[in-house]
Amino acid sequence: MTTEQTMTDNLLSSLGLDRPETGDDAVVPFTLDKLDTRGRVVRLGAALDTILSRHDYPLPVARLLGEAVVLSSLIGSSLKFEGRFILQTQTDGPVNLIVVDFDAPDGMRGYARFDQDALLKAAEAGKTSPADLLGKGHLAMTIDQGQHTERYQGIVALDGNSLEEVAHTYFMQSEQIPTQVRLAVAQMSTRGDHRPRWRAGGMLIQHLPPNGLSAMADLPGDGDFDNPDMVDPDFVEADGWSEAKALLGTVGDLELSDPDLSPERLLFRLYHETGVRVFPPQELEERCTCSADRIEDMLANSFSDEERRDMAVDGEIEVVCEFCSTAYRFNPHHFHSES
């Protein structure tokens, strides 16, 4: 082996690139040490296609839900404990409800509810952007660590903004962490396949000074840069963070979702001049947490005998999971016999 080859191998090893490139349904953490920035890249393929194709959503709804799944994967995959990250929107727009559950460390599921008539009117008017479909309302991000712990929840307004913009606002106001997010969802066709497949990609970067030291001034006021009463005229953004954001802004949607461009190659393409260090990928999967036992417990503990009898159709209670569409059927007399 030549000296040059040895130096190359050592460089690849130091950057975390001396391993096979990552494919679909995985998240890749990375750091930009010279820019005091860390981040994650997610690439979703079959897992996202399962979530979106299961309900046969109209295309604009599927894309919006896909963005929500990507955003939840970027945030939920950072949890250092077994628990759930829940992203939920409730709005007055054509897509009035989105719920995405990320079951740490690697499971995800998602569901969207929409008004068909309002969606048709929006499509006729050419208003099918994520901001148009969401309308006004709020987005809640909840972290649930399980029994015997309190839930943490942050809420931000949805006022004609995209999910990317709302994520920036959430981290500025709720976490006081400078954050930038890019999301992309697309359908791609391959020869011989009977239908296009959904896929997506996303990247999240955050400015975090090393060792907890402050490398940049505190965020002005409450982090709301559009509020003139809260703006600090002396605020100066760190050069490293400005550079990290500017480079991320050059990424196109196709690059984020391209199945032939691995997260490692994308990161190297963006940040090789400033230095990027990647870490082992974390695989993700579509996984619903519903079960017959959970639904049975819910029916037994949340409803009276009379209410369960009213639910019965042809002698059975049918409960369909909104996430995975699995149907569960129960005999109402079963509950009465146990009460």
Side-chain angles (χ1 to χ4, degrees):
M1 181 179 296
T2 66
T3 302
E4 182 179 352
Q5 181 64 47
T6 300
M7 292 176 61
T8 300
D9 290 345
N10 290 339
L11 173 62
L12 290 174
S13 179
S14 67
L15 298 178
L17 296 173
D18 57 335
R19 56 175 172 76
E21 297 177 49
T22 303
D24 286 344
D25 298 330
V27 60
V28 178
F30 65 92
T31 60
L32 309 173
D33 295 332
K34 293 181 180 179
L35 305 182
D36 293 336
T37 297
R38 72 177 182 186
R40 290 181 293 282
V41 178
V42 68
R43 183 65 55 75
L44 300 178
L48 181 70
D49 186 67
T50 298
I51 292 172
L52 299 185
S53 61
R54 177 179 282 140
H55 294 281
D56 195 24
Y57 293 112
L59 293 182
V61 179
R63 288 195 181 94
L64 180 57
L65 177 56
E67 287 192 2
V69 173
V70 174
L71 179 58
S72 300
S73 300
L74 286 168
I75 300 174
S77 60
S78 68
L79 298 181
K80 305 303 181 184
F81 50 82
E82 290 188 4
R84 295 168 63 208
F85 172 81
I86 305 162
L87 182 151
Q88 181 171 332
T89 68
Q90 287 189 301
T91 67
D92 63 0
V95 182
N96 49 60
L97 176 70
I98 291 176
V99 182
V100 180
D101 275 0
F102 189 92
D103 186 26
D106 57 3
M108 54 190 179
R109 62 179 187 168
Y111 168 75
R113 186 180 67 200
F114 61 95
D115 183 316
Q116 183 69 49
D117 292 336
L119 184 64
L120 288 174
K121 291 180 180 178
E124 291 172 356
K127 295 182 177 181
T128 57
S129 71
D132 292 327
L133 296 180
L134 288 170
K136 295 183 179 180
H138 71 266
L139 178 145
M141 297 187 186
T142 305
I143 295 176
D144 183 357
Q145 299 185 52
Q147 293 182 345
H148 312 301
T149 61
E150 291 187 11
R151 286 188 171 193
Y152 168 80
Q153 185 173 78
I155 299 176
V156 292
L158 281 169
D159 190 9
N161 296 320
S162 67
L163 286 179
E164 286 184 358
E165 294 170 321
V166 171
H168 301 159
T169 301
Y170 169 81
F171 281 102
M172 283 292 190
Q173 296 183 354
S174 300
E175 304 292 337
Q176 288 279 288
I177 301 175
T179 301
Q180 201 77 8
V181 176
R182 282 285 287 112
L183 309 171
V185 179
Q187 274 189 314
M188 293 191 177
S189 300
T190 57
R191 181 176 298 177
D193 204 343
H194 68 285
R195 66 171 178 84
R197 303 284 176 173
W198 287 102
R199 57 182 301 104
M203 187 181 300
L204 177 150
I205 59 173
Q206 295 181 313
H207 178 82
L208 292 175
N211 304 317
L213 300 178
S214 178
M216 65 182 292
D218 290 339
L219 294 175
D222 61 356
D224 185 356
F225 290 93
D226 297 324
N227 184 348
D229 296 329
M230 302 300 292
V231 170
D232 179 358
D234 298 322
F235 176 77
V236 178
E237 186 172 76
D239 291 340
W241 176 238
S242 297
E243 184 173 357
K245 288 196 306 179
L247 291 171
L248 178 60
T250 66
V251 178
D253 288 355
L254 181 58
E255 289 179 290
L256 284 172
S257 57
D258 186 352
D260 296 323
L261 181 63
S262 70
E264 290 85 359
R265 288 180 182 270
L266 176 59
L267 288 170
F268 188 77
R269 176 184 294 182
L270 281 176
Y271 295 113
H272 69 279
E273 292 186 357
T274 58
V276 58
R277 186 157 51 101
V278 300
F279 298 91
Q282 175 182 322
E283 294 184 359
L284 305 175
E285 66 178 14
E286 182 277 328
R287 183 174 69 237
C288 192
T289 57
C290 72
S291 69
D293 289 341
R294 287 188 177 185
I295 295 176
E296 184 176 353
D297 287 342
M298 179 270 294
L299 291 172
N301 298 319
S302 302
F303 300 95
S304 66
D305 286 341
E306 182 178 355
E307 289 172 325
R308 287 191 291 266
R309 284 195 296 270
D310 291 341
M311 294 179 193
V313 176
D314 295 331
E316 285 187 326
I317 299 174
E318 181 180 79
V319 179
V320 179
C321 176
E322 290 182 325
F323 290 95
C324 68
S325 299
T326 300
Y328 298 91
R329 296 178 177 82
F330 304 90
N331 186 327
H333 299 295
H334 166 75
F335 301 97
H336 179 70
S337 64
E338 292 187 348
S339 61

